[in-house]
Amino acid sequence: MAITTQQLIQWKQQGRSIVALTAWDYAIAQLIDAAGVDLILVGDSMAVVLGYETTLPITLDEMIYHAKSVRRGVKRALVVVDLPFLTYQESLQQAMHSAGRVLKETGAQGVKLEGGYPAIAETIARLVQAGIPVMGHVGLTPQSVHQLGLRQQGKTQEASERILQEAIALEQAGVFSIVLEHIPADLAMQITQKLSIPTIGIGAGIHCDGQVLVTSDVIGLAEKHPPFAKVYTNLRETITKAVQDYAVEVRDRKFP
């Protein structure tokens, strides 16, 4: 049975941790879905996988193209797609159009928007009213990289209180879950205890209701990864060695 947004909320109530990873194509999506991941995020972090330095350049058309590929590989996990930079901030109409395209064209079950400031919360409320499931995202928001950098957020009392209030506002707006990125563990625990919807942490400590990482970090494909990521295997080395062995055999006429 396919996982639903309501199941994630039930799992929070039951104390069952939620396992989330990112995907960018059919093969990766099929593998991590079969391995038992609960939530697959087609994140705009895919921009870095595609060679960009930040998440900002990726377009909505690119996100939709890859999300369609991911969705074809998934049978069980809930699929959520990031709305990329400047595809939802300009107006409610723009946000509705972008989110609607994602759901209609990809078959994904939800979208994710960054930020918890009043205008975004209002936009999210209207999307939810229109029947579009929305995941929130507070703390370090990579689309604000030129404003915030990539450093941990919520370290001061003022910043901590702001992030807490943003999370509360997003729950009130109707999000089914919130990503907490790169914030202190005690702040993540406070938010998690305060909300009735699940929190998904990335660099936010052990007290969140679930965890998400970028799959290219987990499997060792990325050249570099953030300090809060854990590398479980090193596919860069494995793939490099396999290609080198293949090249040697071809040049020595041992293959085929």
Side-chain angles (χ1 to χ4, degrees):
M1 293 289 292
I3 293 170
T4 66
T5 58
Q6 287 303 310
Q7 274 184 289
L8 299 188
I9 296 172
Q10 291 170 6
W11 287 344
K12 177 185 176 81
Q13 296 167 350
Q14 297 165 1
R16 179 202 185 283
S17 292
I18 298 163
V19 181
L21 281 173
T22 65
W24 55 88
D25 64 11
Y26 175 86
I28 291 293
Q30 188 179 48
L31 285 170
I32 65 176
D33 183 57
V37 168
D38 303 314
L39 188 154
I40 294 177
L41 177 65
V42 186
D44 58 4
S45 57
M46 176 173 58
V48 180
V49 176
L50 297 177
Y52 297 114
E53 291 187 1
T54 72
T55 65
L56 301 183
I58 200 161
T59 67
L60 182 62
D61 284 340
E62 287 174 313
M63 292 296 298
I64 288 173
Y65 175 84
H66 286 273
K68 288 164 70 173
S69 177
V70 167
R71 189 66 188 85
R72 288 194 294 268
V74 175
K75 294 181 179 179
R76 174 182 172 273
L78 182 77
V79 178
V80 177
V81 180
D82 272 351
L83 293 189
F85 181 61
L86 282 188
T87 64
Y88 59 94
Q89 293 98 332
E90 290 182 7
S91 67
L92 172 62
Q93 290 72 22
Q94 184 200 36
M96 193 74 71
H97 179 74
S98 298
R101 278 195 65 196
V102 168
L103 264 60
K104 285 172 67 69
E105 296 179 33
T106 73
Q109 294 100 326
V111 296
K112 181 168 73 67
L113 280 64
E114 288 188 8
Y117 51 92
I120 289 295
E122 183 180 346
T123 294
I124 287 172
R126 294 290 298 275
L127 292 177
V128 172
Q129 289 168 9
I132 299 172
V134 178
M135 172 179 273
H137 184 155
V138 298
L140 173 60
T141 48
Q143 290 179 13
S144 304
V145 61
H146 296 314
Q147 187 177 52
L148 301 178
L150 296 176
R151 59 185 178 274
Q152 188 182 57
Q153 301 297 304
K155 296 171 72 173
T156 67
Q157 181 62 38
E158 180 182 2
S160 175
E161 181 62 25
R162 176 182 56 78
I163 292 171
L164 171 61
Q165 293 306 317
E166 287 180 349
I168 293 171
L170 290 180
E171 180 177 33
Q172 293 173 343
V175 298
F176 65 85
S177 180
I178 297 182
V179 170
L180 306 179
E181 181 165 359
H182 208 16
I183 62 174
D186 57 349
L187 173 57
M189 179 172 65
Q190 185 182 7
I191 294 172
T192 300
Q193 292 174 345
K194 190 80 172 177
L195 303 184
S196 60
I197 57 172
T199 59
I200 309 296
I202 176 167
I206 64 170
H207 303 294
C208 299
D209 298 304
Q211 300 289 333
V212 63
L213 284 175
V214 174
T215 298
S216 57
D217 293 334
V218 171
I219 61 179
L221 275 180
E223 288 185 87
K224 54 184 179 180
H225 54 271
F228 49 76
K230 181 175 180 179
V231 180
Y232 286 81
T233 189
N234 193 329
L235 286 191
R236 286 183 69 85
E237 289 184 0
T238 302
I239 292 170
T240 300
K241 179 65 164 57
V243 173
Q244 288 173 339
D245 289 348
Y246 167 70
V248 167
E249 290 194 4
V250 169
R251 289 171 183 139
D252 290 346
R253 300 189 182 276
K254 293 180 180 178
F255 176 87

